C-alpha cells in the first residue's frame, strides 16, 4: 500500500518509514542508469536502516517512451501522482527539438512550482578534470527555476503576436527594433527571487556553509538582474536577521573571518563569477542566481569536476521535489550497459537527504567515491584515467554496492 509523504500546515515534511516515491526511468540511457541507481539506493537504505525503512517505488510515464505508449510526452496523471506523493526521481528525458514541444524538464518545474534547482558540485578523485585543482571546487548552485528567459514568453519573428508586441514597443515605449526581430520577455519578480534566496540561506545555515553569493548581471539589466540582487539581500536579512552579515561588516568587525553560526551574503557580476570559479574556487560556497545564469554556471562547474556525468541535481518547491540526472539521454550508447550512472546515484543521495535519511545519503556518496578511487569505472572515465579498467554500468553499480559495506 502506498504511503505518501505529507506536509504539515507549518511546512514540515512528514516522511513515513515506507514512503512511496514516483520514479521516471527516462529516455535513452535512462533504461541503463535508473535500474542500477535504484538497486544502489535500496541497498544503501537497507545497509543503514535494515528493514526499518524502505522506499516503495511507483513508476510513472514521461518522455519518448510515454509518447509511444500514451500519446502524451508528460501525462497529466504523472504530474498528479508526483503532486500526491511529493517526491520523484527521474532519468534524462528527450524533448524533440524545433517541433513546438516545450522542454519536459521546464514543464515539470513550472507545473509543480519547483522553484529551486539545486546542484551540488564536488570533485571525486581520480575523475579527470581540465583544471589544476578540482578538489577546491565544493559549491552548491541555487538556480531560480520558474522565471527569466525560461518563462516561455517568446514569439517567432513575423507572427501576428510578434508584430503586435513590436508595434506596442515602437509606438508606446519608443524602442527601435528591426522589424525582422523575434521577441522574448525576461520576467523576474521579488517574491520568486526571495523564496529562492531564502532557501539558499537556509541551506547555508543548516550545512555550516560560510557564504551565499548572489550572481547577477545587474550592471547591464538594472531592473531584472539588478532586482534579483536587491531582492536577494532583502530576503537574506528579512528572514534571518543578524545571522547574515555583509562583506563590509565581515572585514570591519570580524577581520575577514566568518563567525560560527553566521553566513556572509555578497554579490558578484556574472562574468566575474565565471573567472573566479576557475581562478579561486575555494572562495565560493553557495551561489544563488537567476535561471539563465544558473544554467550556465552549474554546467561550467560540472565540467571542472569531470562533466555532467558526475553532477547531481534536484528541483525543489514547497510542495514537491524532483531529483534528476543532469545530463542528456545519450542515445548512441542507450541499451549497451555502458553509461555512467553516477549523476543519478548522487541525485538519489540528495533525495535520501531530503527524506531526512542523511546517513543513507552519505553512504551512497562515500560508496561512489570509493568505487571511483578503485579504478574500475565506466568507459567514459576509464578512457581518461591512466591505469583504469572499463566496466559496464551494471558492473560499476555492483562495485558501488560492495563499497556500501566498507567501514574503513
Amino acid at each position: 500500500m502506498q504511503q505518501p509523504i505529507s506536509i504539515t500546515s507549518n511546512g514540515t515534511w512528514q516522511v513515513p518509514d515506507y514512503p512511496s516515491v514516483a520514479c521516471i526511468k527516462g529516455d535513452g540511457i535512462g533504461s541503463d542508469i535508473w535500474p542500477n541507481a535504484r538497486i544502489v539506493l535500496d541497498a544503501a537504505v537497507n545497509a543503514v536502516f535494515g528493514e526499518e525503512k524502505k522506499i516503495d517505488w511507483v513508476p510513472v510515464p514521461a518522455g519518448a517512451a510515454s509518447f509511444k505508449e500514451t500519446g502524451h510526452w508528460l501525462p497529466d496523471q504523472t504530474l498528479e501522482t508526483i503532486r500526491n506523493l511529493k517526491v520523484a526521481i527521474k532519468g534524462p528525458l528527450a524533448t524533440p527539438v524545433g517541433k513546438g514541444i516545450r522542454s519536459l524538464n521546464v514543464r515539470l518545474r513550472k507545473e509543480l512550482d519547483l522553484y529551486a534547482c539545486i546542484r551540488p558540485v564536488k570533485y571525486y578523485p581520480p575523475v579527470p578534470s581540465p583544471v589544476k585543482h578540482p578538489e577546491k571546487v565544493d559549491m552548491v548552485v541555487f538556480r531560480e527555476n520558474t522565471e527569466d528567459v525560461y518563462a516561455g514568453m517568446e514569439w517567432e519573428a513575423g507572427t501576428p503576436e510578434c508584430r503586435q508586441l513590436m508595434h506596442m514597443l515602437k509606438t508606446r515605449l519608443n524602442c527601435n527594433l528591426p522589424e525582422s526581430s523575434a521577441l522574448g520577455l525576461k520576467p523576474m519578480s521579488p517574491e520568486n527571487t526571495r523564496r529562492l534566496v531564502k532557501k539558499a540561506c537556509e541551506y547555508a545555515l543548516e550545512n555550516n556553509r560560510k557564504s551565499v553569493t548572489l550572481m547577477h548581471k545587474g550592471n547591464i539589466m538594472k531592473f531584472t538582474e539588478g532586482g534579483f540582487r536587491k531582492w536577494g539581500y532583502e530576503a537574506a536579512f528579512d528572514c534571518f536577521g543578524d545571522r547574515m552579515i555583509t562583506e563590509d561588516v565581515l572585514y570591519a568587525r570580524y577581520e575577514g573571518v566568518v563567525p560560527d553560526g553566521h553566513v556572509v551574503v555578497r554579490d558578484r557580476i556574472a562574468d566575474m563569477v565565471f573567472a573566479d570559479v576557475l581562478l579561486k574556487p575555494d572562495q565560493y560556497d553557495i551561489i544563488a542566481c537567476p535561471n539563465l545564469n544558473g544554467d550556465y554556471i552549474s554546467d561550467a562547474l560540472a565540467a571542472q569536476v569531470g562533466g555532467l556525468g558526475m553532477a547531481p541535481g534536484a528541483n525543489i518547491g514547497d510542495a514537491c521535489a524532483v531529483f534528476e540526472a543532469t545530463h542528456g539521454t545519450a542515445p548512441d550508447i542507450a541499451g549497451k550497459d555502458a553509461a555512467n550512472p553516477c549523476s543519478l546515484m548522487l541525485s538519489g543521495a540528495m533525495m535520501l537527504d531530503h527524506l531526512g535519511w542523511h546517513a543513507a545519503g552519505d553512504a551512497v556518496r562515500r560508496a561512489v567515491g570509493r568505487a571511483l578511487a578503485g579504478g574500475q569505472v565506466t568507459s567514459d572515465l576509464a578512457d581518461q584515467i591512466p591505469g583504469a579498467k572499463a566496466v559496464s554500468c551494471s558492473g560499476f553499480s555492483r562495485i558501488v554496492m560492495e563499497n556500501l559495506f566498507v567501514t574503513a
Side-chain angles (χ1 to χ4, degrees):
M1 186 176 77
Q2 292 185 4
Q3 296 185 26
I5 296 161
S6 61
I7 302 175
T8 65
S9 58
N10 65 0
T12 302
W13 287 56
Q14 301 286 343
V15 180
D17 289 335
Y18 293 83
S20 296
V21 172
C23 56
I24 298 171
K25 177 178 65 176
D27 297 315
I29 58 173
S31 59
D32 298 306
I33 64 174
W34 166 240
N36 286 292
R38 173 179 171 170
I39 60 173
V40 166
L41 298 177
D42 284 338
V45 172
N46 184 260
V48 172
F49 300 111
E51 295 301 317
E52 293 180 10
K53 297 182 186 296
K54 186 177 182 180
I55 295 173
D56 167 36
W57 301 105
V58 181
V60 291
S66 172
F67 183 75
K68 290 178 183 177
E69 294 175 9
T70 69
H72 299 281
W73 291 91
L74 184 58
D76 291 341
Q77 185 57 48
T78 292
L79 293 169
E80 189 61 25
T81 299
I82 297 174
R83 287 191 188 97
N84 290 335
L85 299 183
K86 306 291 189 291
V87 173
I89 187 169
K90 72 178 191 66
L93 293 176
T95 300
V97 177
K99 296 185 179 181
I101 298 175
R102 191 178 186 188
S103 164
L104 301 183
N105 292 323
V106 172
R107 188 179 165 206
L108 270 169
R109 296 165 191 164
K110 292 286 286 184
E111 295 274 358
L112 300 173
D113 197 25
L114 306 174
Y115 60 84
C117 178
I118 304 173
R119 291 190 178 180
V121 189
K122 185 176 181 179
Y123 179 65
Y124 287 85
V127 173
S129 166
V131 299
K132 289 183 179 179
H133 293 289
E135 73 281 358
K136 293 183 178 181
V137 177
D138 184 6
M139 307 176 206
V140 184
V141 176
F142 278 72
R143 166 191 174 191
E144 203 291 318
N145 237 353
T146 65
E147 297 189 309
D148 204 350
V149 294
Y150 290 75
M153 299 177 184
E154 184 183 30
W155 296 271
E156 185 178 1
T159 60
E161 297 85 357
C162 190
R163 288 197 298 268
Q164 183 179 6
L165 182 56
M166 179 78 70
H167 178 74
M168 187 197 74
L169 291 171
K170 287 188 171 186
T171 58
R172 295 190 181 186
L173 300 177
N174 198 32
C175 296
N176 184 19
L177 298 170
E179 289 288 344
S180 58
S181 299
L183 296 173
L185 296 182
K186 180 186 174 73
M188 296 175 72
S189 67
E191 56 267 33
N192 288 341
T193 296
R194 286 180 177 132
R195 65 181 183 173
L196 182 277
V197 175
K198 178 185 177 185
K199 191 168 285 290
C201 292
E202 283 176 345
Y203 182 95
L205 289 167
E206 291 170 1
N207 292 276
N208 197 32
R209 297 282 185 154
K210 296 301 183 183
S211 69
V212 172
T213 302
L214 306 173
M215 176 187 179
H216 63 91
K217 195 64 178 169
N219 58 327
I220 302 300
M221 291 166 277
K222 309 288 187 181
F223 307 115
T224 51
E225 304 255 345
F228 181 90
R229 174 188 180 276
K230 173 187 173 184
W231 304 322
Y233 274 116
E234 291 173 351
F237 288 95
D238 288 348
C239 295
F240 302 103
D242 58 7
R243 299 188 71 185
M244 301 287 124
I245 55 177
T246 64
E247 281 186 303
D248 289 343
V249 171
L250 175 68
Y251 289 98
R253 190 179 302 173
Y254 300 105
E255 299 182 345
V257 179
V258 182
D260 289 342
H262 291 71
V263 172
V264 177
V265 183
R266 60 185 190 169
D267 71 278
R268 295 290 186 272
I269 302 299
D271 38 326
M272 179 188 295
V273 175
F274 277 98
D276 281 352
V277 296
L278 287 169
L279 298 173
K280 43 189 177 182
D282 49 342
Q283 295 187 13
Y284 284 80
D285 210 340
I286 308 297
I287 298 176
C289 46
N291 212 332
L292 184 60
N293 291 341
D295 198 358
Y296 290 157
I297 194 66
S298 58
D299 282 13
L301 286 172
Q304 290 182 225
V305 298
L308 291 176
M310 298 302 303
N315 298 287
I316 296 178
D318 293 330
C320 292
V322 176
F323 300 82
E324 64 180 355
T326 60
H327 52 69
T329 59
D332 55 319
I333 60 170
K336 297 180 180 179
D337 195 19
N340 180 350
C342 286
S343 175
L344 195 54
M345 287 181 184
L346 295 172
S347 298
M350 292 180 69
M351 184 198 74
L352 294 174
D353 291 341
H354 191 75
L355 296 177
W357 300 357
H358 297 279
D362 289 341
V364 172
R365 284 182 284 267
R366 285 196 301 268
V368 168
R370 289 173 180 144
L372 292 167
Q376 295 188 70
V377 294
T378 49
S379 59
D380 60 317
L381 300 176
D383 292 344
Q384 304 176 67
I385 301 174
K389 177 184 176 182
V391 296
S392 64
C393 177
S394 56
F396 179 78
S397 300
R398 285 192 293 272
I399 295 169
V400 173
M401 282 193 291
E402 291 168 3
N403 278 282
L404 286 169
F405 301 95
V406 175
T407 57

